[in-house]
Amino acid sequence: MPASICGAWELISNVNFEGYMVALGIGPYLRKIALKLKLRKVIEQHGDQYVIKTVSPFRNYTFSFKLNQEFEEFTQGLDNRHVKSLVTWEGNKLVCVQTGEKKNRGWTHWIEDDKLHLELYCEGELCRQVFKKK
Ligand code: VL7
């Protein structure tokens, strides 16, 4: 059984968020705001249904999905693209592939040493975020 990613988490480290946002085509003004945000994750699970909320004082982003089932995702308030997203468990990692205009795009969540890890990737840029439990 994979370690639970559920709960409220706060960002403690954020490497190459800038590069990830550039890859998504986010302009310099929004990037500057986004880089300063104290991001939080609030993750809920009900059976195969997950809700991941990325919360900040500036903007929130909520993504709901069922495991192993491809979904239409609209990244509203982020890069505002429509992608097809598929989330699966691969070992202890929750893996999302986002198929669309941007190549090699997705994210991976896992738990390590009581921390929530997130890798966000897009077209060769990799952002590594770590969250601690609130
Ligand atoms: C979500 C942000 C930067 C645009 C605004 C910044 C507001 C707060 O998709 C994500 O998480 C997954 C995995 O946990 C679940 O959906 C990442 C943050 C990435 C990309 C784009 C800057 C404008 C950020 C919502």
Side-chain angles (χ1 to χ4, degrees):
M1 217 19 208
S4 176
I5 65 168
C6 294
W9 304 87
E10 58 188 29
L11 186 70
I12 55 170
S13 115
N14 196 0
V15 175
N16 197 35
F17 192 34
E18 173 75 3
Y20 174 71
M21 287 192 287
V22 170
L24 286 177
I26 306 300
Y29 178 75
L30 257 187
R31 293 206 306 271
K32 196 172 173 184
I33 294 172
L35 275 176
K36 290 180 182 165
L37 293 175
K38 297 200 189 312
L39 296 175
R40 290 191 297 122
K41 293 276 177 195
V42 180
I43 303 178
E44 293 167 21
Q45 180 204 350
H46 308 279
D48 272 3
Q49 180 87 40
Y50 284 77
V51 182
I52 301 183
K53 294 177 188 159
T54 307
V55 181
S56 81
F58 173 63
R59 228 171 243 182
N60 300 327
Y61 180 70
T62 301
F63 177 46
S64 308
F65 57 91
K66 267 190 182 159
L67 289 175
N68 310 315
Q69 199 174 302
E70 197 169 57
F71 275 84
E72 303 279 344
E73 179 179 8
F74 175 46
T75 60
Q76 185 163 25
L78 305 180
D79 62 318
N80 296 304
R81 283 191 177 86
H82 293 271
V83 293
K84 287 206 162 85
S85 298
L86 175 65
V87 187
T88 56
W89 278 105
E90 293 185 13
N92 66 336
K93 294 190 170 177
L94 190 65
V95 173
C96 178
V97 175
Q98 295 171 308
T99 307
E101 179 190 346
K102 291 289 177 182
K103 300 305 161 209
N104 190 31
R105 176 176 184 175
W107 52 257
T108 303
H109 267 300
W110 72 95
I111 299 287
E112 200 178 305
D113 301 328
D114 296 329
K115 305 285 196 301
L116 177 72
H117 289 251
L118 171 62
E119 286 183 350
L120 296 157
Y121 62 92
C122 179
E123 298 198 330
E125 292 291 335
L126 177 65
C127 169
R128 296 173 193 274
Q129 299 186 336
V130 183
F131 299 77
K132 70 168 185 188
K133 201 132 206 180
K134 279 205 77 176

